[in-house]
Amino acid sequence: PTAPSLSAHTRALHSRTHQTVITMAALTISAPIVARAGSFAGRKLATNATNGTVGKVSARAVWMPGSTPPAHLTGTLPCDYGFDPLGLGKEPANLARFQEAEIIHSRWAMLGVAGAAGQEAITGVTWIEAPVQDSQTYLGAESPFPLPVVVAIEVFVMAFVEQQRSNEKDPAKRLYPGGAFDPAGFSKGADFETLKKKEIANGRVAMLAFAGLIGQAQATNLEGPLSALGRHVADPWHVNAAVNAAAVPYL
């Protein structure tokens, strides 16, 4: 082909490309189909399709991309990603009980993981050895009571606290009592719902972490988590789960 024909072909190609870019930009502006990643409550977005119709799409995050959450998980609970493969929460009473149990276990797990690490970091005694020491100390001060008395006091106090919580008829106050249990007033802030999600998210990680502490202790002859972590950091290629027969059976 001659030079003039090449020039005409190039101009036509540029024109079509320019028109395509304009069309794509117009579609992007008129049909916003991408939802914010932080929308976890099943928010519905109106979209204008190219044929002029109006539809509704869900911006809810789910535990498996493309999966459909069960009908009883509507996204109203904090960190509800539609995960209930066994249908354990179909009954509303069961779902409420599971929600309460998860929150309580999350709080204990967060305290437990922090306590296990803090105990070893401050005193050098592991969380496994601490309860069976000959003499019990608290912040360096020796306890005047022997271990059986300490255990009895803890059981009595926890039983009393749980009884008081169980007597509360308001489901919201059973989970978030506020008052003396919220001295900083977080429950009164505008971001309280966000804090609920953060509590559950961190609590789930903490429950897995404490299960990991138990497994790690069994696999490393009751070694503390910080000590085991130190050995791994010092020699990661030779000190890890893959070379531990107790952690990975049948090696």
Side-chain angles (χ1 to χ4, degrees):
T2 61
S5 62
L6 283 175
S7 178
H9 177 72
T10 301
R11 287 195 299 272
L13 180 61
H14 287 174
S15 177
R16 288 196 296 270
T17 302
H18 181 67
Q19 184 62 35
T20 301
V21 172
I22 293 176
T23 303
M24 292 178 64
L27 288 174
T28 303
I29 295 173
S30 61
I33 61 173
V34 179
R36 289 171 44 188
S39 301
F40 296 134
R43 182 164 59 92
K44 300 294 183 178
L45 301 178
T47 59
N48 294 324
T50 54
N51 61 359
T53 60
V54 177
K56 295 282 187 179
V57 297
S58 175
R60 179 181 175 185
V62 291
W63 70 280
M64 180 182 293
S67 64
T68 301
H72 60 277
L73 296 180
T74 59
T76 56
L77 299 177
C79 285
D80 173 10
Y81 299 112
F83 181 79
D84 188 11
L86 300 180
L88 300 177
K90 287 183 178 180
E91 294 295 330
N94 290 341
L95 182 59
R97 175 55 184 157
F98 291 145
Q99 180 197 11
E100 179 180 354
E102 182 181 39
I103 291 177
I104 299 302
H105 283 81
S106 293
R107 291 168 180 170
W108 279 115
M110 288 187 283
L111 287 172
V113 172
Q119 163 75 26
E120 186 176 355
I122 295 174
T123 67
V125 180
T126 69
W127 66 278
I128 303 171
E129 299 169 342
V132 293
Q133 295 294 300
D134 293 334
S135 61
Q136 298 295 313
T137 62
Y138 184 76
L139 297 178
E142 186 171 348
S143 172
F145 306 108
L147 180 59
V149 176
V150 174
V151 172
I153 294 174
E154 291 177 350
V155 170
F156 175 79
V157 172
M158 286 306 306
F160 175 76
V161 172
E162 278 298 296
Q163 182 63 39
Q164 293 297 109
R165 190 176 65 83
S166 300
N167 290 338
E168 177 58 58
K169 302 305 180 182
D170 187 345
K173 287 187 177 181
R174 285 168 62 94
L175 302 179
Y176 308 99
F181 295 96
D182 184 21
F186 289 122
S187 61
K188 300 178 182 178
D191 60 343
F192 185 41
E193 294 301 320
T194 300
L195 294 178
K196 288 182 180 179
K197 295 177 181 178
K198 290 182 178 180
E199 181 184 40
I200 290 295
N202 285 279
R204 289 171 178 172
V205 173
M207 287 188 282
L208 290 174
F210 200 84
L213 293 183
I214 297 174
Q216 170 266 313
Q218 295 297 320
T220 59
N221 195 26
L222 304 183
E223 184 180 18
L226 297 186
S227 176
L229 177 62
R231 291 194 303 110
H232 169 70
V233 172
D235 189 8
W237 294 107
H238 298 94
V239 182
N240 54 64
V243 299
N244 190 314
V248 184
Y250 310 112
L251 282 179

